[in-house]
Amino acid sequence: LSNQKQFHGHTHSNARSTKGAHKLGSLLDPETTRERKLLDIVKAASEVFREHGFEAGTLEDVADRLGISRPALYHYIDSKQELLAITMNYLLDLGLEEVAIIDQSEADPLARLRALMISLITMVGRERSLFTVFFRDRAGLDERYLAVILPKERRYVDYFQRAIVEAMKAKYLPEIPETLATQTLLGSCIWTYTWLDPSGAIPLEQAATMIAKFLTTLPSTKIDEMAV
Amino acid sequence: LSNQKQFHGHTHSNARSTKGAHKLGSLLDPETTRERKLLDIVKAASEVFREHGFEAGTLEDVADRLGISRPALYHYIDSKQELLAITMNYLLDLGLEEVAIIDQSEADPLARLRALMISLITMVGRERSLFTVFFRDRAGLDERYLAVILPKERRYVDYFQRAIVEAMKAKYLPEIPETLATQTLLGSCIWTYTWLDPSGAIPLEQAATMIAKFLTTLPSTKIDEMAV
């Protein structure tokens, strides 16, 4: 397989537009046959990795699930790493769409923050295998993928940070440096990929709601007056 | 090097006591020359991995730092994976010692929980490279190491869980299922390995204290009465 593709990164002034670029475009509203096919592949890959885990699931499994040959699959993607990048990019697009809607519809920063946390926890829980690999191997992703994925991650985090800053200003949360607060709350949500069983006794959405409220509520019967 | 060593796991009824077993014994109070040497190796390894990262740091670097030859180092440890296991085991022993002291000395569950969180965050921050590898590759550790490390992890987590259960009973925290609450708060502390720079603008201990209070305090001027 060719290693000659170059990624058309938006942050690279001298990037060349090639196959790789189109692959990491948005698949939210597929317009071309190629985009529709990539979306099918991403969905099949999610299922395979959800069932078998990322290590054990193979491109062969993905091809089988789609009823196509391995060479036909290789026409669209080159490697498992690329498949991971495309899939994470798609999940990030889905997540960004969801948090943008929450951002628009919830004026109250505390309610908004909780909704954002619930959205993240349920997204991680639904695609646990993929996120396990993503959080573990993200740093090792090829530069051309990171150039697309990292700015989206940053935008995703910014929705949280804005809600947290507003919640702190409104005295819903103790005031600490905003990056600390943001990473602390994101950490609880993200770390669920290691322990929260999406098919466990407590339904995923209910667990997510419990966690979001737990992190942003104290019982009104006993207030700790210690200043932070 | 020999692959024939067997681990004397406490959970294995038919385990044999061999070299591997002694290596994962406690190094907190080294009594034998071997234990003292292993402790030196663990400390040198921590320094090497802190400076160069776990991937880039080599056994050669560790030997150099100790002023011994590679064969001399191999007399005590067989591989980087084993060095990671021995080092994590030592850090867990240190951590357990610290949380046991906190457990004894803080009767108030909220103060105890905060002290436990601060202890965890500062431990992770001080040995960031090692914990990065540990949290990423822990599942892939050899069974004989996991048989020692996982029960210690469980004991470590239990200190948090007891403090959290007591804090919920005392109405310091909203009541949600105790495992959810424990993993949620641990998640915030553990995830700091990905973002909290121990040599950043805010000193590590101060950042840890801010995070611990942020997660367990609401401003007394505005209480959210929503039941969890």
Side-chain angles (χ1 to χ4, degrees):
Chain A
L1 286 166
S2 162
N3 278 319
Q4 292 162 15
K5 287 173 297 136
Q6 292 291 321
F7 172 67
H8 181 86
H10 297 286
T11 57
H12 291 186
S13 55
N14 63 344
R16 280 159 281 169
S17 177
T18 66
K19 191 178 167 197
H22 297 292
K23 287 188 196 175
L24 278 188
S26 170
L27 298 177
L28 289 184
D29 299 300
E31 288 174 2
T32 64
T33 306
R34 162 165 221 93
E35 285 171 1
R36 275 189 290 274
K37 199 74 193 174
L38 276 172
L39 183 54
D40 288 344
I41 292 170
V42 157
K43 287 181 175 171
S46 299
E47 287 171 21
V48 165
F49 297 141
R50 194 156 49 227
E51 284 171 29
H52 303 292
F54 185 77
E55 306 305 335
T58 65
L59 292 183
E60 188 100 53
D61 294 329
V62 176
D64 284 352
R65 177 140 334 203
L66 290 163
I68 63 174
S69 66
R70 251 182 92 135
L73 182 62
Y74 275 124
H75 180 65
Y76 294 96
I77 56 131
D78 286 351
S79 64
K80 232 166 126 174
Q81 212 218 26
E82 185 175 72
L83 185 54
L84 176 65
I86 295 172
T87 306
M88 291 310 309
N89 185 55
Y90 174 64
L91 291 178
L92 265 172
D93 284 338
L94 278 181
L96 276 168
E97 196 176 49
E98 203 167 294
V99 295
I101 290 168
I102 292 168
D103 192 63
Q104 288 288 312
S105 57
E106 283 286 4
D108 180 68
L110 185 62
R112 196 188 331 140
L113 174 57
R114 287 176 177 165
L116 292 172
M117 292 169 76
I118 292 166
S119 168
L120 174 53
I121 295 167
T122 49
M123 181 171 76
V124 168
R126 277 196 304 258
E127 304 293 349
R128 200 178 176 192
S129 294
L130 281 165
F131 278 104
T132 299
V133 177
F134 180 65
F135 290 128
R136 205 192 56 200
D137 296 344
R138 182 176 41 165
L141 277 182
D142 199 283
E143 174 63 38
R144 63 193 171 140
Y145 305 134
L146 287 177
V148 172
I149 285 174
L150 293 184
K152 286 186 186 176
E153 265 190 38
R154 188 62 242 168
R155 274 171 53 211
Y156 189 88
V157 170
D158 282 344
Y159 284 104
F160 283 74
Q161 191 144 332
R162 278 199 302 276
I164 288 166
V165 167
E166 288 177 40
M168 290 196 295
K169 279 196 184 133
K171 305 286 181 204
Y172 279 126
L173 296 175
E175 286 203 68
I176 66 171
E178 58 189 78
T179 307
L180 246 66
T182 305
Q183 295 295 339
T184 296
L185 294 183
L186 278 175
S188 281
C189 299
I190 289 171
W191 192 247
T192 57
Y193 82 85
T194 67
W195 64 271
L196 184 58
D197 180 359
S199 52
I202 305 171
L204 180 59
E205 291 245 5
Q206 194 184 333
T209 305
M210 284 175 168
I211 292 166
K213 288 191 181 170
F214 178 75
L215 287 168
T216 55
T217 317
L218 282 192
S220 56
T221 48
K222 195 163 194 171
I223 307 313
D224 184 66
E225 60 291 331
M226 283 172 71
V228 171
Chain B
L1 286 166
S2 161
N3 278 318
Q4 293 164 12
K5 288 175 296 141
Q6 292 291 321
F7 171 69
H8 182 86
H10 297 286
T11 58
H12 291 187
S13 54
N14 63 344
R16 280 160 283 171
S17 177
T18 66
K19 191 178 167 199
H22 297 293
K23 287 189 195 172
L24 278 188
S26 171
L27 298 177
L28 289 185
D29 300 299
E31 289 175 0
T32 64
T33 306
R34 163 164 222 92
E35 286 171 359
R36 276 189 288 274
K37 200 74 194 173
L38 276 173
L39 182 56
D40 288 344
I41 292 170
V42 157
K43 286 180 176 173
S46 299
E47 287 170 22
V48 166
F49 297 140
R50 193 156 51 226
E51 284 171 29
H52 303 292
F54 185 77
E55 307 304 334
T58 65
L59 292 183
E60 189 99 52
D61 294 330
V62 176
D64 284 353
R65 178 143 329 209
L66 290 164
I68 63 174
S69 65
R70 249 181 92 135
L73 182 62
Y74 275 124
H75 180 65
Y76 294 96
I77 54 132
D78 287 350
S79 64
K80 232 166 128 175
Q81 212 220 24
E82 184 176 73
L83 186 54
L84 176 65
I86 294 171
T87 307
M88 291 310 309
N89 184 55
Y90 174 64
L91 292 177
L92 265 171
D93 284 338
L94 280 182
L96 276 168
E97 196 176 48
E98 204 167 294
V99 296
I101 291 167
I102 293 168
D103 191 64
Q104 289 287 312
S105 57
E106 282 288 3
D108 179 67
L110 185 62
R112 195 186 332 140
L113 174 58
R114 287 175 178 166
L116 292 171
M117 293 168 77
I118 291 165
S119 167
L120 174 54
I121 295 167
T122 49
M123 181 171 76
V124 168
R126 278 196 303 259
E127 304 293 350
R128 200 178 175 193
S129 295
L130 281 164
F131 278 104
T132 299
V133 177
F134 180 65
F135 290 128
R136 205 192 56 200
D137 296 346
R138 180 176 43 167
L141 277 182
D142 200 283
E143 174 64 37
R144 63 193 173 140
Y145 305 135
L146 287 178
V148 172
I149 286 175
L150 292 185
K152 286 186 186 175
E153 264 191 38
R154 188 61 242 171
R155 273 171 53 211
Y156 189 88
V157 170
D158 281 344
Y159 284 103
F160 283 75
Q161 189 143 332
R162 277 198 302 276
I164 288 166
V165 166
E166 288 176 40
M168 291 197 294
K169 279 197 186 131
K171 306 286 181 203
Y172 280 125
L173 297 174
E175 285 202 70
I176 66 170
E178 58 189 79
T179 308
L180 246 65
T182 305
Q183 295 294 341
T184 296
L185 294 183
L186 280 174
S188 281
C189 300
I190 290 171
W191 192 245
T192 57
Y193 82 87
T194 67
W195 64 271
L196 184 58
D197 180 0
S199 53
I202 304 171
L204 181 58
E205 291 243 7
Q206 194 184 334
T209 305
M210 283 175 169
I211 291 167
K213 288 192 182 169
F214 178 75
L215 287 169
T216 55
T217 318
L218 282 194
S220 56
T221 49
K222 196 161 190 171
I223 307 313
D224 184 64
E225 61 288 332
M226 280 172 72
V228 171

